[in-house]
Amino acid sequence: MSFLRRASRVAVASSIHGNVQRRQRTRWAAEDQAKVAAQAVPPIPDLPPLPPQVAPAASMDAKIEQLTKLGELKAAGILTDAEFDAQKARILGN
């Protein structure tokens, strides 16, 4: 085999080998960057929706006090039976 022929084959093989190495380094660098990016940003957990805000229920003592005042107003003749029943239903939440 002649010297020029052998030199050309070595040059081609070296070029191919260099191209393969360059592609591998590029691919591995991209994979490393993807791993770093995935580790840098923690995933945001899916949170359940917040329950609707409900006004605090009146205590039983407060309801009894309101019903007592309501009964006094009816006994005094200030409220009619229909007004008394409507307010009592509102207080009891019916």
Side-chain angles (χ1 to χ4, degrees):
M1 191 183 282
S2 74
F3 176 74
L4 291 177
R5 189 176 211 186
R6 184 173 294 196
S8 66
R9 285 187 180 179
V10 170
V12 169
S14 178
S15 174
I16 291 172
H17 180 69
N19 289 339
V20 170
Q21 282 185 331
R22 189 172 39 256
R23 282 194 307 260
Q24 287 177 341
R25 278 195 308 264
T26 304
R27 184 182 63 196
W28 292 336
E31 289 174 0
D32 289 343
Q33 287 176 353
K35 287 179 186 177
V36 169
Q39 292 173 353
V41 179
I44 299 173
D46 292 334
L47 299 176
L50 295 175
Q53 296 294 328
V54 179
S59 68
M60 186 55 77
D61 292 336
K63 288 182 181 182
I64 291 173
E65 183 180 328
Q66 288 177 347
L67 288 173
T68 304
K69 288 181 183 178
L70 196 62
E72 291 172 358
L73 290 173
K74 182 182 176 198
I78 298 175
L79 293 177
T80 64
D81 288 337
E83 291 172 334
F84 175 78
D85 291 337
Q87 291 300 320
K88 183 175 82 171
R90 184 188 59 80
I91 291 170
L92 296 176
N94 293 343

